C-alpha cells in the first residue's frame, strides 16, 4: 500500500521522538512492502517563529490532504508569553476542529516487564491492565456556553453541559466497533442518577448496543468507575464516556500503567484519517539531550496503522518489537528500574526498529 503521512514534529522533544517513530515505520514498510510518504507540516512554537502563527494554512492543507497525521508535541516556555489566541496549543485545537475529530482513543496497557512501575498493589497489577478509553472529544461542558456574572453582590459562574443524541451515537459506534476487535465488552460511564445529559447518554448507548448483539454492554456511574479503575482494572475492555469524565478517567488510566512516555493516543472523526500522538507534552526540560522515551510516539504510529490503514499485522509487529526491546532490558530514563540498561531516545528507537 501507498500512504501519505503528514508529520508534525512540533517543539521540545517532538522532533527526536517523531524521527524514531518514522524510522520504525520505515522498517515496517520495508518488511511488509508498503510505501509511506512523509509530508512535513510545521505546527506549534516553531511555526510561530517561522510563520507568525501556530498552524499555517499550508500545514493545515497538508494534514487535510494526507491519509493520516502523526504528531510529536507542541509548546514550551519560549512561547508562554504569546497572546492566548496565538499560543502553540491553539494550533492543535484548530487542527482537531478542522479535521472534525470527535473521538479520542487512549489505550491503558501495562507491559508485563514494566509492572514494577505500576503504582497499584502487585496482586492487582498481576491480573493485567489492558483496556481503552473512548472519549467524546468535541461536545459536553468543555464546548458549552461559559459565563460569569454578578448576582446579588457576588460572582456567579455557569458552564453549560449539553449533548445531542447524534453526538453520543457516533462515539458509541466507535466503542462497539473497537470492542468487536477486542474482548467484546463495553462499559459506558455516566452520572445518570444526577444528570439529564447522562440519562440521554445511557439511553442512546443502550439503543446503539442493539446493533452489536455480540458485544456485552455494562453501565457504571463515574464515581464508581474512578474507584474500579484502581480496584480492579482487569474488568475493563472498552470504556466509553463523555468529554469531561473521559478527560479525568483517561489520565487516571494512564497513570496506573507506569510512565507518561509510554502511552499513545488517537483522535478520529468521520472516515479513516486520524491524528496520532503520544499523550505527553514537549518535555522542554529534556529536549535535545537524547533522553526522551520515544515509545509513546512509536505506539501512536502502530495505532495509525491499525485504525487508519487497516494494517493489523503491521501494528502487531510494532507492538511486539516494543515488547521485545523491553524484555531485552532496554530502558529510557523515565522507565529505568534496577537491572535495566539505560539508553537514549535514538538507541531505544534502534532497539525497536531492529526487532520489527
Ligand atoms: P510534559 O508531558 O511535557 O512533561 C512532564 C514531565 O514528564 C517532564 O518531566 C518531562 O521530562 C517528562 N516526560 C514527558 N514526556 C516524556 C518522554 N517521552 N520521555 C521521558 N520523559 C518525559 O508536560 P509539561 O511539562 O506540563 O508541558 C511541557 C509543554 O508541553 C508545555 O508547553 C505544554 O503546554 C505542552 N503540552 C503539549 C501537549 C501536546 O502537544 N499535545 C500536551 C501536553 C503539554
Amino acid at each position: 500500500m501507498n500512504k501519505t503521512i503528514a508529520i508534525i514534529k512540533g517543539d521540545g522533544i517532538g522532533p527526536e521522538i517523531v524521527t524514531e517513530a518514522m524510522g520504525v515505520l520505515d522498517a515496517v514498510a520495508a518488511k511488509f512492502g508498503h510505501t509511506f510518504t512523509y509530508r512535513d507540516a510545521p505546527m506549534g512554537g516553531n511555526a510561530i517563529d517561522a510563520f507568525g502563527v501556530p498552524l499555517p494554512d499550508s500545514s493545515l492543507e497538508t494534514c487535510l490532504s494526507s491519509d493520516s497525521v502523526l504528531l510529536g508535541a507542541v509548546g514550551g516556555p519560549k512561547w508562554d508569553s504569546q497572546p492566548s489566541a496565538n499560543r502553540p496549543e491553539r494550533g492543535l485545537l484548530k487542527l482537531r476542529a478542522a479535521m472534525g475529530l470527535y473521538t479520542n482513543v487512549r489505550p491503558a496497557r501495562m507491559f508485563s516487564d514494566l509492572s514494577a512501575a505500576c503504582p497499584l498493589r502487585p496482586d492487582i497489577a498481576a491480573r493485567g491492565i489492558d483496556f481503552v478509553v473512548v472519549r467524546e472529544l468535541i461536545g459536553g461542558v468543555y464546548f458549552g456556553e461559559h459565563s460569569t456574572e454578578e448576582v446579588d453582590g457576588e460572582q456567579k459562574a455557569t458552564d453549560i453541559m449539553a449533548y445531542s443524541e447524534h453526538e453520543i451515537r457516533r462515539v458509541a459506534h466507535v466503542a462497539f466497533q473497537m470492542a468487536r476487535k477486542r474482548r467484546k465488552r463495553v462499559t459506558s460511564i455516566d452520572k445518570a442518577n444526577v444528570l439529564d445529559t447522562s440519562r440521554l447518554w445511557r439511553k442512546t448507548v443502550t439503543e446503539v448496543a442493539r446493533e452489536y448483539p455480540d458485544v456485552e454492554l455494562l453501565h457504571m456511574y463515574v464515581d464508581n468507575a474512578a474507584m474500579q479503575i484502581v480496584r480492579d482494572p482487569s474488568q475493563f475492555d472498552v470504556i466509553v464516556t463523555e468529554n469531561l469524565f473521559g478527560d479525568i478517567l483517561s489520565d487516571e488510566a494512564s497513570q496506573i500503567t507506569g510512565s507518561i512516555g509510554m502511552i499513545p493516543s488517537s483522535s478520529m472523526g468521520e472516515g479513516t484519517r486520524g491524528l496520532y500522538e503520544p499523550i505527553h507534552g514537549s518535555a522542554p526540560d529534556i529536549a535535545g539531550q537524547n533522553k526522551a522515551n520515544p515509545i509513546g510516539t512509536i505506539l501512536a504510529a502502530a495505532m495509525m496503522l491499525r485504525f487508519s490503514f487497516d494494517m493489523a499485522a503491521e501494528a502487531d509487529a510494532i507492538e511486539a518489537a516494543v515488547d521485545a526491546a523491553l524484555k531485552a532490558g532496554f530502558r529510557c530514563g523515565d522507565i529505568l528500574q534496577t537491572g535495566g540498561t539505560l539508553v537514549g531516545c535514538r538507541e531505544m528507537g534502534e532497539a525497536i526498529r531492529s526487532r520489527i
Side-chain angles (χ1 to χ4, degrees):
M1 270 197 226
N2 249 319
K3 295 287 180 190
T4 54
I5 304 172
I7 296 287
I8 304 175
K9 289 190 171 172
D11 308 311
I13 59 170
E16 300 167 59
I17 54 180
V18 171
T19 300
E20 297 315 316
M22 289 164 69
V24 171
L25 284 172
D26 287 340
V28 168
K31 177 165 179 174
F32 290 85
H34 302 304
T35 307
F36 298 133
T37 306
Y38 305 113
R39 302 168 72 203
D40 201 28
M43 185 177 92
N46 64 91
I48 295 174
D49 291 347
F51 305 95
V53 288
L55 180 64
D57 290 344
S58 55
S59 292
L60 182 57
E61 271 162 36
T62 300
C63 293
L64 293 176
S65 58
S66 296
D67 293 313
S68 213
V69 184
L70 183 66
L71 161 69
V74 296
K78 182 178 174 195
W79 303 282
D80 279 352
S81 55
Q82 286 283 327
S84 78
N86 208 42
R87 289 176 62 102
E89 300 79 10
R90 283 281 160 176
L92 190 50
L93 294 180
K94 187 175 164 190
L95 180 63
R96 282 183 183 149
M99 290 177 71
L101 305 173
Y102 57 76
T103 307
N104 180 260
V105 177
R106 217 194 248 196
R109 175 180 172 213
M110 189 179 63
F111 288 85
S112 54
D113 293 274
L114 293 183
S115 59
C118 174
L120 302 182
R121 260 191 359 237
D123 61 309
I124 297 175
R127 278 178 239 153
I129 303 173
D130 182 8
F131 62 95
V132 292
V133 180
V134 176
R135 165 188 169 195
E136 199 290 324
L137 200 57
I138 53 174
V141 71
Y142 291 177
F143 287 81
E145 259 173 54
H146 309 284
S147 64
T148 307
E149 57 190 331
E150 195 80 14
V151 177
D152 296 334
E154 63 173 355
Q155 297 235 298
K156 181 182 171 191
T158 308
D159 302 289
I160 307 274
M161 183 189 236
Y163 267 107
S164 305
E165 285 175 282
H166 78 274
E167 294 175 296
I168 303 168
R169 211 175 288 125
R170 62 189 183 185
V171 70
H173 278 293
V174 174
F176 283 104
Q177 280 158 20
M178 192 152 292
R180 272 197 168 152
K181 294 186 184 161
R182 297 176 47 96
R183 301 193 304 278
K184 299 190 170 53
R185 168 186 275 217
V186 169
T187 308
S188 172
I189 292 173
D190 60 43
K191 189 69 182 167
N193 49 343
V194 180
L195 301 175
D196 266 34
T197 43
S198 279
R199 281 191 276 275
L200 184 65
W201 181 277
R202 191 173 280 220
K203 174 178 156 289
T204 309
V205 172
T206 304
E207 282 165 12
V208 171
R210 292 194 192 110
E211 296 177 43
Y212 302 86
D214 51 324
V215 178
E216 181 187 10
L217 170 65
L218 299 143
H219 298 281
M220 196 179 274
Y221 295 137
V222 63
D223 40 350
N224 184 25
M227 191 175 72
Q228 295 298 335
I229 285 174
V230 292
R231 198 190 68 84
D232 180 16
S234 71
Q235 69 186 282
F236 296 110
D237 178 22
V238 174
I239 283 178
V240 62
T241 191
E242 63 88 44
N243 203 346
L244 169 67
F245 300 159
D247 191 6
I248 298 166
L249 294 181
S250 61
D251 264 18
E252 185 189 6
S254 322
Q255 181 52 37
I256 60 169
T257 62
S259 167
I260 193 175
M262 298 287 300
I263 300 163
S265 128
S266 77
S267 304
M268 311 277 298
E270 296 300 338
T272 55
R273 189 189 305 117
L275 173 66
Y276 297 87
E277 57 186 313
I279 63 161
H280 57 74
S282 60
D285 52 331
I286 55 167
Q289 300 168 41
N290 194 32
K291 284 184 179 168
N293 184 351
I295 293 180
T297 318
I298 289 170
L299 292 174
M303 282 181 100
M304 178 170 73
L305 300 186
R306 193 182 299 284
F307 296 151
S308 282
F309 302 164
D310 209 14
M311 295 181 181
E314 292 83 339
D316 287 347
I318 295 181
E319 288 164 6
V322 169
D323 244 337
L326 293 172
K327 280 209 163 56
F330 293 100
R331 298 284 187 274
C332 289
D334 60 320
I335 52 171
L336 185 66
Q337 302 148 347
T338 0
T341 310
L342 178 64
V343 292
C345 185
R346 282 192 294 275
E347 295 72 26
M348 182 60 96
E350 176 51 31
I352 295 167
R353 212 162 28 247
S354 63
R355 285 169 173 78
I356 292 290

